[in-house]
Amino acid sequence: MVLQALDLNHLSWYTSSYPVAYLDGLLQMEAYHKEVVEGVSSGVVWFLEHLPVYTSGSSAKSSHLLQASLIPVVNTGRGGQYTYHGPGQRVVYVMLPLARLFAPNKPDIRRFVYLLEQAIIDAIAEFGIQGERREGRVGIWVKGARFKGGEAKIAALGLRISRGVTMHGIAVNISPNLDHFGGIIPCGISNYDVASMQQLGIEVSMQEFDV
């Protein structure tokens, strides 16, 4: 189950059953974030897919946008560089108050990122896929002789912390159109491929992945 590595109680969990336009999703995420900041909600986890879009983070370089074509490009407030979102990719946005999440200890952003990574590793392991971390390369990686460099990125992470509450989250490639990643240098990494569960021979629905 996605996020099973985190002990999260008393949260609001939402799932969108249809692809959401990125800017519409951004507005909804900001609304959920405001609820958490104001104490209306203890925290929100939102499962969705996006319509095709390239998004740029705070570290994005214009030279890494190779070909936008018909796919729109949106600047975001998250960290990181360029990435692609589209149908077949499970996006999970997390609006969580770090102070309460880590109480009574101090908020630990690195630990939070580690737990999100572990959640992805645990989720894909349920389908027989071994995901791994890589020093200096954000995201979760899988090995394979077919891939450039012998491995490929199967999941991405991008976060923003505002007023002590997280925004954005993770994206796991279930069965997206991998050709669309060719329009950018994903996360600034050009020496490796992008992979999906489908490409690895695993056919799974979003509902099955979320359980």
Side-chain angles (χ1 to χ4, degrees):
M1 176 181 176
V2 173
L3 299 181
Q4 65 182 13
L6 298 171
D7 182 16
L8 303 176
N9 298 311
H10 311 298
L11 302 180
S12 298
W13 297 74
Y14 301 105
T15 301
S16 294
S17 58
Y18 54 87
V20 178
Y22 187 80
L23 289 177
D24 291 341
L26 190 61
L27 289 174
Q28 183 61 67
M29 177 174 59
E30 290 172 347
Y32 287 144
H33 177 269
K34 182 179 179 182
E35 290 180 2
V36 179
V37 168
E38 295 178 348
V40 176
S41 172
S42 298
V44 177
V45 180
W46 182 21
F47 294 74
L48 69 154
E49 297 172 78
H50 278 304
L51 295 172
V53 64
Y54 293 131
T55 67
S56 62
S58 57
S59 302
K61 300 178 180 179
S62 58
S63 60
H64 291 178
L65 178 62
L66 306 178
Q67 182 181 0
S69 64
L70 298 178
I71 298 177
V73 181
V74 177
N75 295 321
T76 75
R78 62 165 173 79
Q81 303 190 46
Y82 278 105
T83 193
Y84 165 77
H85 294 307
Q89 183 186 72
R90 174 48 89 210
V91 173
V92 185
Y93 287 141
V94 288
M95 285 62 70
L96 303 174
L98 288 178
R100 291 203 296 271
L101 184 65
F102 285 97
N105 301 313
K106 291 183 179 180
D108 187 337
I109 296 174
R110 289 190 177 184
R111 176 62 178 169
F112 182 67
V113 170
Y114 181 91
L115 291 174
L116 286 179
E117 291 173 337
Q118 192 60 49
I120 298 170
I121 291 171
D122 291 345
I124 63 178
E126 294 185 12
F127 301 94
I129 298 174
Q130 181 177 344
E132 300 176 352
R133 299 176 179 86
R134 288 292 179 266
E135 185 70 28
R137 284 189 262 139
V138 178
I140 300 302
W141 298 76
V142 293
K143 294 179 180 178
R146 76 180 78 177
F147 301 128
K148 180 169 57 176
E151 55 190 13
K153 189 173 186 177
I154 198 169
L157 294 88
L159 292 173
R160 178 186 175 192
I161 312 299
S162 175
R163 300 180 66 182
V165 177
T166 64
M167 299 176 71
H168 300 278
I170 65 177
V172 184
N173 296 329
I174 308 298
S175 58
N177 184 341
L178 293 178
D179 290 341
H180 288 169
F181 284 94
I184 56 173
I185 298 179
C187 300
I189 300 173
S190 60
N191 297 328
Y192 300 93
D193 291 327
V194 176
S196 70
M197 295 178 67
Q198 183 182 60
Q199 183 188 37
L200 295 175
I202 306 299
E203 296 289 346
V204 57
S205 69
M206 291 293 171
Q207 293 75 18
E208 291 170 325
F209 182 74
D210 293 344
V211 171

